[in-house]
mmCIF file of all heavy atoms in Angstrom:
data_model
loop_
_atom_site.group_PDB
_atom_site.id
_atom_site.type_symbol
_atom_site.label_atom_id
_atom_site.label_comp_id
_atom_site.label_asym_id
_atom_site.label_seq_id
_atom_site.Cartn_x
_atom_site.Cartn_y
_atom_site.Cartn_z
ATOM 1 N N THR A 1 5.149 -30.324 18.573
ATOM 2 C CA THR A 1 6.177 -29.612 17.803
ATOM 3 C C THR A 1 5.971 -28.097 17.762
ATOM 4 O O THR A 1 6.923 -27.359 17.610
ATOM 5 C CB THR A 1 6.218 -30.132 16.361
ATOM 6 O OG1 THR A 1 4.921 -30.005 15.758
ATOM 7 C CG2 THR A 1 6.653 -31.585 16.333
ATOM 8 N N ARG A 2 4.712 -27.603 17.925
ATOM 9 C CA ARG A 2 4.489 -26.163 17.852
ATOM 10 C C ARG A 2 3.037 -25.826 18.126
ATOM 11 O O ARG A 2 2.190 -26.716 18.256
ATOM 12 C CB ARG A 2 4.881 -25.613 16.478
ATOM 13 C CG ARG A 2 4.052 -26.119 15.311
ATOM 14 C CD ARG A 2 4.639 -25.687 13.998
ATOM 15 N NE ARG A 2 3.889 -26.215 12.863
ATOM 16 C CZ ARG A 2 3.148 -25.493 12.025
ATOM 17 N NH1 ARG A 2 3.074 -24.186 12.193
ATOM 18 N NH2 ARG A 2 2.524 -26.049 11.025
ATOM 19 N N CYS A 3 2.779 -24.512 18.184
ATOM 20 C CA CYS A 3 1.404 -24.001 18.306
ATOM 21 C C CYS A 3 0.933 -23.556 16.925
ATOM 22 O O CYS A 3 1.620 -22.789 16.238
ATOM 23 C CB CYS A 3 1.367 -22.821 19.275
ATOM 24 S SG CYS A 3 -0.250 -22.016 19.397
ATOM 25 N N VAL A 4 -0.238 -24.044 16.512
ATOM 26 C CA VAL A 4 -0.807 -23.708 15.213
ATOM 27 C C VAL A 4 -2.011 -22.803 15.412
ATOM 28 O O VAL A 4 -2.944 -23.175 16.138
ATOM 29 C CB VAL A 4 -1.214 -24.977 14.430
ATOM 30 C CG1 VAL A 4 -1.808 -24.596 13.082
ATOM 31 C CG2 VAL A 4 -0.001 -25.893 14.250
ATOM 32 N N LEU A 5 -1.997 -21.630 14.812
ATOM 33 C CA LEU A 5 -3.111 -20.694 14.928
ATOM 34 C C LEU A 5 -4.246 -21.124 14.012
ATOM 35 O O LEU A 5 -4.018 -21.494 12.859
ATOM 36 C CB LEU A 5 -2.656 -19.271 14.558
ATOM 37 C CG LEU A 5 -1.471 -18.706 15.346
ATOM 38 C CD1 LEU A 5 -1.123 -17.318 14.852
ATOM 39 C CD2 LEU A 5 -1.773 -18.677 16.832
ATOM 40 N N GLY A 6 -5.474 -21.065 14.504
ATOM 41 C CA GLY A 6 -6.637 -21.434 13.715
ATOM 42 C C GLY A 6 -6.958 -20.400 12.635
ATOM 43 O O GLY A 6 -6.551 -19.235 12.721
ATOM 44 N N ASP A 7 -7.698 -20.814 11.619
ATOM 45 C CA ASP A 7 -8.011 -19.931 10.497
ATOM 46 C C ASP A 7 -8.787 -18.696 10.939
ATOM 47 O O ASP A 7 -8.532 -17.577 10.453
ATOM 48 C CB ASP A 7 -8.825 -20.695 9.438
ATOM 49 C CG ASP A 7 -7.997 -21.757 8.732
ATOM 50 O OD1 ASP A 7 -6.750 -21.675 8.820
ATOM 51 O OD2 ASP A 7 -8.586 -22.653 8.096
ATOM 52 N N ASP A 8 -9.738 -18.863 11.845
ATOM 53 C CA ASP A 8 -10.534 -17.717 12.306
ATOM 54 C C ASP A 8 -9.674 -16.723 13.067
ATOM 55 O O ASP A 8 -9.834 -15.503 12.917
ATOM 56 C CB ASP A 8 -11.698 -18.192 13.185
ATOM 57 C CG ASP A 8 -12.769 -18.923 12.404
ATOM 58 O OD1 ASP A 8 -12.790 -18.782 11.156
ATOM 59 O OD2 ASP A 8 -13.577 -19.638 13.030
ATOM 60 N N LEU A 9 -8.747 -17.237 13.869
ATOM 61 C CA LEU A 9 -7.851 -16.351 14.614
ATOM 62 C C LEU A 9 -6.917 -15.607 13.662
ATOM 63 O O LEU A 9 -6.701 -14.397 13.810
ATOM 64 C CB LEU A 9 -7.034 -17.157 15.613
ATOM 65 C CG LEU A 9 -5.993 -16.368 16.443
ATOM 66 C CD1 LEU A 9 -6.630 -15.209 17.170
ATOM 67 C CD2 LEU A 9 -5.269 -17.304 17.399
ATOM 68 N N VAL A 10 -6.386 -16.306 12.676
ATOM 69 C CA VAL A 10 -5.516 -15.662 11.689
ATOM 70 C C VAL A 10 -6.281 -14.572 10.931
ATOM 71 O O VAL A 10 -5.765 -13.467 10.705
ATOM 72 C CB VAL A 10 -4.944 -16.701 10.700
ATOM 73 C CG1 VAL A 10 -4.263 -16.017 9.525
ATOM 74 C CG2 VAL A 10 -3.950 -17.612 11.412
ATOM 75 N N SER A 11 -7.517 -14.859 10.575
ATOM 76 C CA SER A 11 -8.341 -13.880 9.868
ATOM 77 C C SER A 11 -8.588 -12.638 10.723
ATOM 78 O O SER A 11 -8.474 -11.505 10.253
ATOM 79 C CB SER A 11 -9.676 -14.517 9.463
ATOM 80 O OG SER A 11 -10.493 -13.590 8.810
ATOM 81 N N SER A 12 -8.908 -12.856 12.006
ATOM 82 C CA SER A 12 -9.139 -11.735 12.913
ATOM 83 C C SER A 12 -7.871 -10.937 13.125
ATOM 84 O O SER A 12 -7.881 -9.694 13.152
ATOM 85 C CB SER A 12 -9.671 -12.257 14.247
ATOM 86 O OG SER A 12 -9.837 -11.222 15.176
ATOM 87 N N LEU A 13 -6.748 -11.636 13.250
ATOM 88 C CA LEU A 13 -5.457 -10.986 13.440
ATOM 89 C C LEU A 13 -5.096 -10.139 12.209
ATOM 90 O O LEU A 13 -4.662 -8.984 12.345
ATOM 91 C CB LEU A 13 -4.397 -12.044 13.705
ATOM 92 C CG LEU A 13 -3.001 -11.604 14.128
ATOM 93 C CD1 LEU A 13 -3.051 -10.742 15.393
ATOM 94 C CD2 LEU A 13 -2.109 -12.824 14.352
ATOM 95 N N LEU A 14 -5.307 -10.710 11.030
ATOM 96 C CA LEU A 14 -5.020 -9.978 9.795
ATOM 97 C C LEU A 14 -5.858 -8.707 9.673
ATOM 98 O O LEU A 14 -5.353 -7.639 9.315
ATOM 99 C CB LEU A 14 -5.264 -10.866 8.585
ATOM 100 C CG LEU A 14 -4.135 -11.801 8.154
ATOM 101 C CD1 LEU A 14 -4.615 -12.731 7.055
ATOM 102 C CD2 LEU A 14 -2.924 -11.005 7.686
ATOM 103 N N ASP A 15 -7.150 -8.824 9.978
ATOM 104 C CA ASP A 15 -8.029 -7.653 9.879
ATOM 105 C C ASP A 15 -7.517 -6.507 10.728
ATOM 106 O O ASP A 15 -7.548 -5.339 10.303
ATOM 107 C CB ASP A 15 -9.448 -8.031 10.312
ATOM 108 C CG ASP A 15 -10.171 -8.896 9.290
ATOM 109 O OD1 ASP A 15 -9.719 -8.932 8.131
ATOM 110 O OD2 ASP A 15 -11.184 -9.520 9.649
ATOM 111 N N ARG A 16 -7.053 -6.813 11.910
ATOM 112 C CA ARG A 16 -6.553 -5.763 12.808
ATOM 113 C C ARG A 16 -5.196 -5.239 12.385
ATOM 114 O O ARG A 16 -4.923 -4.039 12.463
ATOM 115 C CB ARG A 16 -6.494 -6.287 14.242
ATOM 116 C CG ARG A 16 -7.851 -6.719 14.794
ATOM 117 C CD ARG A 16 -7.796 -6.897 16.301
ATOM 118 N NE ARG A 16 -9.021 -7.512 16.809
ATOM 119 C CZ ARG A 16 -9.378 -7.478 18.090
ATOM 120 N NH1 ARG A 16 -8.605 -6.871 18.976
ATOM 121 N NH2 ARG A 16 -10.489 -8.064 18.501
ATOM 122 N N LEU A 17 -4.320 -6.141 11.953
ATOM 123 C CA LEU A 17 -2.974 -5.720 11.555
ATOM 124 C C LEU A 17 -3.000 -4.848 10.299
ATOM 125 O O LEU A 17 -2.153 -3.956 10.151
ATOM 126 C CB LEU A 17 -2.075 -6.943 11.335
ATOM 127 C CG LEU A 17 -1.689 -7.723 12.582
ATOM 128 C CD1 LEU A 17 -0.976 -9.012 12.221
ATOM 129 C CD2 LEU A 17 -0.824 -6.886 13.516
ATOM 130 N N TYR A 18 -3.954 -5.096 9.424
ATOM 131 C CA TYR A 18 -4.068 -4.259 8.227
ATOM 132 C C TYR A 18 -4.361 -2.802 8.590
ATOM 133 O O TYR A 18 -4.068 -1.893 7.814
ATOM 134 C CB TYR A 18 -5.154 -4.794 7.306
ATOM 135 C CG TYR A 18 -4.726 -6.010 6.503
ATOM 136 C CD1 TYR A 18 -5.629 -7.018 6.195
ATOM 137 C CD2 TYR A 18 -3.421 -6.146 6.042
ATOM 138 C CE1 TYR A 18 -5.246 -8.135 5.466
ATOM 139 C CE2 TYR A 18 -3.025 -7.250 5.316
ATOM 140 C CZ TYR A 18 -3.949 -8.251 5.025
ATOM 141 O OH TYR A 18 -3.560 -9.347 4.310
ATOM 142 N N THR A 19 -4.964 -2.580 9.754
ATOM 143 C CA THR A 19 -5.262 -1.201 10.175
ATOM 144 C C THR A 19 -4.121 -0.577 10.976
ATOM 145 O O THR A 19 -4.016 0.649 11.043
ATOM 146 C CB THR A 19 -6.555 -1.153 11.015
ATOM 147 O OG1 THR A 19 -6.346 -1.864 12.240
ATOM 148 C CG2 THR A 19 -7.723 -1.771 10.267
ATOM 149 N N THR A 20 -3.272 -1.403 11.589
ATOM 150 C CA THR A 20 -2.202 -0.848 12.440
ATOM 151 C C THR A 20 -0.852 -0.785 11.740
ATOM 152 O O THR A 20 -0.019 0.072 12.085
ATOM 153 C CB THR A 20 -2.053 -1.674 13.734
ATOM 154 O OG1 THR A 20 -1.800 -3.054 13.413
ATOM 155 C CG2 THR A 20 -3.309 -1.586 14.584
ATOM 156 N N ILE A 21 -0.578 -1.672 10.800
ATOM 157 C CA ILE A 21 0.690 -1.603 10.062
ATOM 158 C C ILE A 21 0.553 -0.505 9.016
ATOM 159 O O ILE A 21 -0.109 -0.671 7.999
ATOM 160 C CB ILE A 21 1.040 -2.954 9.418
ATOM 161 C CG1 ILE A 21 1.295 -4.005 10.509
ATOM 162 C CG2 ILE A 21 2.289 -2.827 8.532
ATOM 163 C CD1 ILE A 21 1.639 -5.390 9.991
ATOM 164 N N ASP A 22 1.160 0.609 9.294
ATOM 165 C CA ASP A 22 0.999 1.829 8.496
ATOM 166 C C ASP A 22 2.188 1.988 7.538
ATOM 167 O O ASP A 22 3.292 2.352 7.977
ATOM 168 C CB ASP A 22 0.880 3.035 9.421
ATOM 169 C CG ASP A 22 0.415 4.295 8.713
ATOM 170 O OD1 ASP A 22 0.704 4.435 7.495
ATOM 171 O OD2 ASP A 22 -0.242 5.133 9.346
ATOM 172 N N GLN A 23 1.939 1.752 6.257
ATOM 173 C CA GLN A 23 3.026 1.836 5.281
ATOM 174 C C GLN A 23 3.591 3.236 5.171
ATOM 175 O O GLN A 23 4.779 3.422 4.909
ATOM 176 C CB GLN A 23 2.519 1.364 3.917
ATOM 177 C CG GLN A 23 3.630 1.185 2.871
ATOM 178 C CD GLN A 23 4.579 0.044 3.219
ATOM 179 O OE1 GLN A 23 4.142 -1.040 3.581
ATOM 180 N NE2 GLN A 23 5.883 0.296 3.122
ATOM 181 N N ARG A 24 2.766 4.237 5.391
ATOM 182 C CA ARG A 24 3.258 5.615 5.295
ATOM 183 C C ARG A 24 4.321 5.898 6.356
ATOM 184 O O ARG A 24 5.322 6.584 6.067
ATOM 185 C CB ARG A 24 2.092 6.597 5.452
ATOM 186 C CG ARG A 24 1.089 6.573 4.294
ATOM 187 C CD ARG A 24 -0.110 7.413 4.628
ATOM 188 N NE ARG A 24 -0.802 6.890 5.821
ATOM 189 C CZ ARG A 24 -1.848 7.480 6.393
ATOM 190 N NH1 ARG A 24 -2.308 8.608 5.919
ATOM 191 N NH2 ARG A 24 -2.424 6.947 7.461
ATOM 192 N N ILE A 25 4.105 5.407 7.566
ATOM 193 C CA ILE A 25 5.102 5.616 8.622
ATOM 194 C C ILE A 25 6.385 4.861 8.296
ATOM 195 O O ILE A 25 7.493 5.383 8.478
ATOM 196 C CB ILE A 25 4.534 5.180 9.982
ATOM 197 C CG1 ILE A 25 3.413 6.133 10.410
ATOM 198 C CG2 ILE A 25 5.624 5.125 11.044
ATOM 199 C CD1 ILE A 25 2.724 5.739 11.705
#
């Protein structure tokens, strides 16, 4: 039915996105 991302991958993805998604911009 779909691809499910693992918890470790989600955690790693979140850590990086928190640095690139710039609220000021």
Side-chain angles (χ1 to χ4, degrees):
T1 57
R2 64 189 177 111
C3 175
V4 179
L5 304 179
D7 291 343
D8 290 343
L9 177 56
V10 169
S11 179
S12 177
L13 189 57
L14 276 173
D15 287 343
R16 299 194 189 198
L17 290 172
Y18 283 146
T19 65
T20 57
I21 295 179
D22 192 331
Q23 190 67 46
R24 292 172 299 175
I25 291 177

